Amino acid sequence: MDETLLCCDGSSRGNPGQAGYGFVVRIHTGVFVYAESGGLGILSNFIAKFIACVSAMEWAINNQRYKVILQTDSKACVVALMNNKIPWFLVARCRELLQVFILFVIDKFIEK
């Protein structure tokens, strides 16, 4: 109850290449709340996915959503967050965000 689902993804054309990110926000009933996407310039695929997750978490905090489930298809991103192996230029942003959440669950999409 009262949980917010953050579905995040990022990608690049080439690795590195032109990159972008996006995320969709849904409440616990599945109702759509918000979506955002944007260009990031030249980045690796991993960094684009990580920025998507960070941007979604920032949206959640800015909108007083403190019980979140972060969902991504990036195993590397999940492992990095769980093992505190955050890219150096995102460390400060991530640590501040993760301290605010009441409930924070990382969920990985099942790959087919």
mmCIF file of all heavy atoms in Angstrom, residues 6 9 13 17 20 29 33 41 49-50 53 55 58 62 65 67 69 72 76 81 85 96 101 108:
data_model
loop_
_atom_site.group_PDB
_atom_site.id
_atom_site.type_symbol
_atom_site.label_atom_id
_atom_site.label_comp_id
_atom_site.label_asym_id
_atom_site.label_seq_id
_atom_site.Cartn_x
_atom_site.Cartn_y
_atom_site.Cartn_z
ATOM 1 N N LEU A 6 8.708 2.774 -9.857
ATOM 2 C CA LEU A 6 9.508 3.577 -10.782
ATOM 3 C C LEU A 6 10.112 2.628 -11.816
ATOM 4 O O LEU A 6 11.000 1.848 -11.495
ATOM 5 C CB LEU A 6 10.626 4.296 -10.026
ATOM 6 C CG LEU A 6 10.221 5.135 -8.816
ATOM 7 C CD1 LEU A 6 11.458 5.611 -8.066
ATOM 8 C CD2 LEU A 6 9.357 6.303 -9.240
ATOM 9 N N ASP A 9 14.647 3.097 -17.582
ATOM 10 C CA ASP A 9 15.507 2.546 -18.618
ATOM 11 C C ASP A 9 16.316 3.657 -19.261
ATOM 12 O O ASP A 9 15.924 4.822 -19.239
ATOM 13 C CB ASP A 9 14.694 1.819 -19.686
ATOM 14 C CG ASP A 9 15.516 0.807 -20.471
ATOM 15 O OD1 ASP A 9 16.697 0.572 -20.114
ATOM 16 O OD2 ASP A 9 14.988 0.244 -21.438
ATOM 17 N N ARG A 13 23.003 4.662 -28.601
ATOM 18 C CA ARG A 13 23.283 4.136 -29.946
ATOM 19 C C ARG A 13 24.788 4.030 -30.064
ATOM 20 O O ARG A 13 25.463 5.031 -30.260
ATOM 21 C CB ARG A 13 22.752 5.073 -31.013
ATOM 22 C CG ARG A 13 21.287 5.036 -31.141
ATOM 23 C CD ARG A 13 20.858 5.871 -32.328
ATOM 24 N NE ARG A 13 19.441 6.017 -32.308
ATOM 25 C CZ ARG A 13 18.667 5.773 -33.346
ATOM 26 N NH1 ARG A 13 19.194 5.424 -34.491
ATOM 27 N NH2 ARG A 13 17.382 5.916 -33.244
ATOM 28 N N GLY A 17 27.712 6.189 -27.089
ATOM 29 C CA GLY A 17 27.013 6.788 -28.213
ATOM 30 C C GLY A 17 25.967 7.758 -27.713
ATOM 31 O O GLY A 17 25.884 8.039 -26.517
ATOM 32 N N GLY A 20 20.065 8.342 -24.043
ATOM 33 C CA GLY A 20 18.860 8.931 -23.484
ATOM 34 C C GLY A 20 18.372 8.097 -22.317
ATOM 35 O O GLY A 20 18.860 6.991 -22.079
ATOM 36 N N THR A 29 -1.770 0.795 -7.235
ATOM 37 C CA THR A 29 -2.898 0.211 -7.965
ATOM 38 C C THR A 29 -2.590 0.040 -9.450
ATOM 39 O O THR A 29 -3.382 -0.508 -10.192
ATOM 40 C CB THR A 29 -4.144 1.100 -7.820
ATOM 41 O OG1 THR A 29 -3.850 2.403 -8.341
ATOM 42 C CG2 THR A 29 -4.602 1.183 -6.381
ATOM 43 N N VAL A 33 1.101 7.826 -13.159
ATOM 44 C CA VAL A 33 1.244 9.098 -12.470
ATOM 45 C C VAL A 33 2.063 10.092 -13.286
ATOM 46 O O VAL A 33 1.675 11.250 -13.441
ATOM 47 C CB VAL A 33 1.904 8.911 -11.084
ATOM 48 C CG1 VAL A 33 2.161 10.242 -10.406
ATOM 49 C CG2 VAL A 33 1.073 8.004 -10.207
ATOM 50 N N GLY A 41 23.366 13.158 -24.342
ATOM 51 C CA GLY A 41 24.629 13.356 -25.050
ATOM 52 C C GLY A 41 25.324 12.022 -25.265
ATOM 53 O O GLY A 41 24.689 10.979 -25.372
ATOM 54 N N LYS A 49 21.426 4.053 -18.226
ATOM 55 C CA LYS A 49 20.484 3.319 -17.381
ATOM 56 C C LYS A 49 20.572 3.793 -15.927
ATOM 57 O O LYS A 49 19.560 3.931 -15.252
ATOM 58 C CB LYS A 49 20.751 1.818 -17.473
ATOM 59 C CG LYS A 49 20.364 1.220 -18.815
ATOM 60 C CD LYS A 49 20.683 -0.250 -18.870
ATOM 61 C CE LYS A 49 20.311 -0.843 -20.221
ATOM 62 N NZ LYS A 49 18.887 -0.897 -20.464
ATOM 63 N N PHE A 50 21.764 4.043 -15.470
ATOM 64 C CA PHE A 50 21.954 4.501 -14.091
ATOM 65 C C PHE A 50 21.337 5.889 -13.891
ATOM 66 O O PHE A 50 20.690 6.157 -12.877
ATOM 67 C CB PHE A 50 23.444 4.524 -13.747
ATOM 68 C CG PHE A 50 23.710 4.128 -12.338
ATOM 69 C CD1 PHE A 50 24.080 2.836 -12.022
ATOM 70 C CD2 PHE A 50 23.582 5.041 -11.308
ATOM 71 C CE1 PHE A 50 24.313 2.459 -10.707
ATOM 72 C CE2 PHE A 50 23.819 4.675 -9.998
ATOM 73 C CZ PHE A 50 24.183 3.384 -9.695
ATOM 74 N N CYS A 53 17.632 5.689 -13.423
ATOM 75 C CA CYS A 53 17.270 5.301 -12.049
ATOM 76 C C CYS A 53 17.416 6.475 -11.087
ATOM 77 O O CYS A 53 16.528 6.725 -10.260
ATOM 78 C CB CYS A 53 18.125 4.124 -11.592
ATOM 79 S SG CYS A 53 17.813 2.591 -12.494
ATOM 80 N N SER A 55 17.348 9.692 -11.794
ATOM 81 C CA SER A 55 16.334 10.704 -12.111
ATOM 82 C C SER A 55 14.970 10.312 -11.554
ATOM 83 O O SER A 55 14.240 11.155 -11.031
ATOM 84 C CB SER A 55 16.236 10.899 -13.631
ATOM 85 O OG SER A 55 17.446 11.378 -14.148
ATOM 86 N N GLU A 58 15.026 10.876 -7.828
ATOM 87 C CA GLU A 58 14.912 12.319 -7.538
ATOM 88 C C GLU A 58 13.472 12.784 -7.690
ATOM 89 O O GLU A 58 12.974 13.550 -6.862
ATOM 90 C CB GLU A 58 15.838 13.119 -8.454
ATOM 91 C CG GLU A 58 17.286 12.967 -8.102
ATOM 92 C CD GLU A 58 18.241 13.647 -9.075
ATOM 93 O OE1 GLU A 58 17.882 13.869 -10.249
ATOM 94 O OE2 GLU A 58 19.363 13.958 -8.636
ATOM 95 N N ASN A 62 11.219 14.475 -4.702
ATOM 96 C CA ASN A 62 10.622 15.798 -4.943
ATOM 97 C C ASN A 62 9.105 15.786 -4.855
ATOM 98 O O ASN A 62 8.486 16.823 -4.656
ATOM 99 C CB ASN A 62 11.058 16.348 -6.300
ATOM 100 C CG ASN A 62 12.520 16.722 -6.324
ATOM 101 O OD1 ASN A 62 13.120 17.015 -5.291
ATOM 102 N ND2 ASN A 62 13.113 16.691 -7.506
ATOM 103 N N ARG A 65 7.304 10.858 -2.359
ATOM 104 C CA ARG A 65 7.056 9.421 -2.492
ATOM 105 C C ARG A 65 8.237 8.717 -1.839
ATOM 106 O O ARG A 65 9.318 8.655 -2.409
ATOM 107 C CB ARG A 65 6.939 9.003 -3.958
ATOM 108 C CG ARG A 65 5.960 9.795 -4.778
ATOM 109 C CD ARG A 65 4.534 9.449 -4.404
ATOM 110 N NE ARG A 65 3.612 10.271 -5.193
ATOM 111 C CZ ARG A 65 2.580 9.800 -5.846
ATOM 112 N NH1 ARG A 65 2.302 8.515 -5.809
ATOM 113 N NH2 ARG A 65 1.792 10.615 -6.508
ATOM 114 N N LYS A 67 8.139 5.512 -0.325
ATOM 115 C CA LYS A 67 8.093 4.054 -0.415
ATOM 116 C C LYS A 67 8.116 3.710 -1.897
ATOM 117 O O LYS A 67 7.105 3.819 -2.585
ATOM 118 C CB LYS A 67 6.810 3.511 0.222
ATOM 119 C CG LYS A 67 6.704 3.728 1.711
ATOM 120 C CD LYS A 67 5.406 3.140 2.234
ATOM 121 C CE LYS A 67 5.249 3.369 3.708
ATOM 122 N NZ LYS A 67 3.956 2.824 4.193
ATOM 123 N N ILE A 69 9.556 1.244 -5.318
ATOM 124 C CA ILE A 69 10.127 0.055 -5.924
ATOM 125 C C ILE A 69 10.758 0.534 -7.220
ATOM 126 O O ILE A 69 10.082 1.073 -8.092
ATOM 127 C CB ILE A 69 9.050 -1.008 -6.202
ATOM 128 C CG1 ILE A 69 8.398 -1.441 -4.890
ATOM 129 C CG2 ILE A 69 9.660 -2.192 -6.958
ATOM 130 C CD1 ILE A 69 7.167 -2.299 -5.068
ATOM 131 N N THR A 72 14.202 -1.970 -13.106
ATOM 132 C CA THR A 72 15.065 -1.755 -14.259
ATOM 133 C C THR A 72 15.383 -3.091 -14.916
ATOM 134 O O THR A 72 15.304 -4.128 -14.265
ATOM 135 C CB THR A 72 16.372 -1.034 -13.859
ATOM 136 O OG1 THR A 72 17.194 -0.881 -15.009
ATOM 137 C CG2 THR A 72 17.125 -1.773 -12.788
ATOM 138 N N ALA A 76 23.424 -4.972 -14.304
ATOM 139 C CA ALA A 76 24.610 -4.232 -13.865
ATOM 140 C C ALA A 76 24.227 -3.063 -12.959
ATOM 141 O O ALA A 76 24.893 -2.801 -11.956
ATOM 142 C CB ALA A 76 25.399 -3.735 -15.072
ATOM 143 N N LEU A 81 23.958 -0.746 -7.499
ATOM 144 C CA LEU A 81 23.218 -0.120 -6.399
ATOM 145 C C LEU A 81 23.276 -0.978 -5.136
ATOM 146 O O LEU A 81 23.485 -0.463 -4.043
ATOM 147 C CB LEU A 81 21.765 0.120 -6.802
ATOM 148 C CG LEU A 81 21.506 1.342 -7.658
ATOM 149 C CD1 LEU A 81 20.101 1.312 -8.234
ATOM 150 C CD2 LEU A 81 21.711 2.616 -6.847
ATOM 151 N N LYS A 85 28.399 0.310 -5.550
ATOM 152 C CA LYS A 85 29.434 0.536 -6.577
ATOM 153 C C LYS A 85 28.894 1.550 -7.589
ATOM 154 O O LYS A 85 28.814 1.291 -8.781
ATOM 155 C CB LYS A 85 29.803 -0.779 -7.279
ATOM 156 C CG LYS A 85 30.336 -1.836 -6.356
ATOM 157 C CD LYS A 85 31.706 -1.465 -5.849
ATOM 158 C CE LYS A 85 32.272 -2.606 -5.012
ATOM 159 N NZ LYS A 85 33.460 -2.248 -4.300
ATOM 160 N N GLU A 96 22.549 10.612 -0.975
ATOM 161 C CA GLU A 96 21.546 11.508 -0.392
ATOM 162 C C GLU A 96 20.144 10.972 -0.631
ATOM 163 O O GLU A 96 19.312 10.979 0.273
ATOM 164 C CB GLU A 96 21.669 12.907 -0.985
ATOM 165 C CG GLU A 96 22.880 13.677 -0.508
ATOM 166 C CD GLU A 96 23.000 15.049 -1.172
ATOM 167 O OE1 GLU A 96 21.989 15.574 -1.653
ATOM 168 O OE2 GLU A 96 24.118 15.572 -1.202
ATOM 169 N N PHE A 101 14.516 7.500 1.666
ATOM 170 C CA PHE A 101 13.416 6.558 1.463
ATOM 171 C C PHE A 101 13.102 5.761 2.716
ATOM 172 O O PHE A 101 13.986 5.348 3.454
ATOM 173 C CB PHE A 101 13.737 5.592 0.316
ATOM 174 C CG PHE A 101 13.788 6.259 -1.026
ATOM 175 C CD1 PHE A 101 14.973 6.362 -1.724
ATOM 176 C CD2 PHE A 101 12.645 6.799 -1.588
ATOM 177 C CE1 PHE A 101 15.033 6.981 -2.958
ATOM 178 C CE2 PHE A 101 12.686 7.426 -2.814
ATOM 179 C CZ PHE A 101 13.875 7.514 -3.507
ATOM 180 N N LYS A 108 14.379 -6.224 -10.667
ATOM 181 C CA LYS A 108 14.884 -6.340 -12.030
ATOM 182 C C LYS A 108 13.827 -6.994 -12.902
ATOM 183 O O LYS A 108 13.265 -8.010 -12.521
ATOM 184 C CB LYS A 108 16.177 -7.163 -12.037
ATOM 185 C CG LYS A 108 16.807 -7.247 -13.405
ATOM 186 C CD LYS A 108 18.086 -8.071 -13.301
ATOM 187 C CE LYS A 108 18.679 -8.332 -14.658
ATOM 188 N NZ LYS A 108 17.794 -8.987 -15.587
#
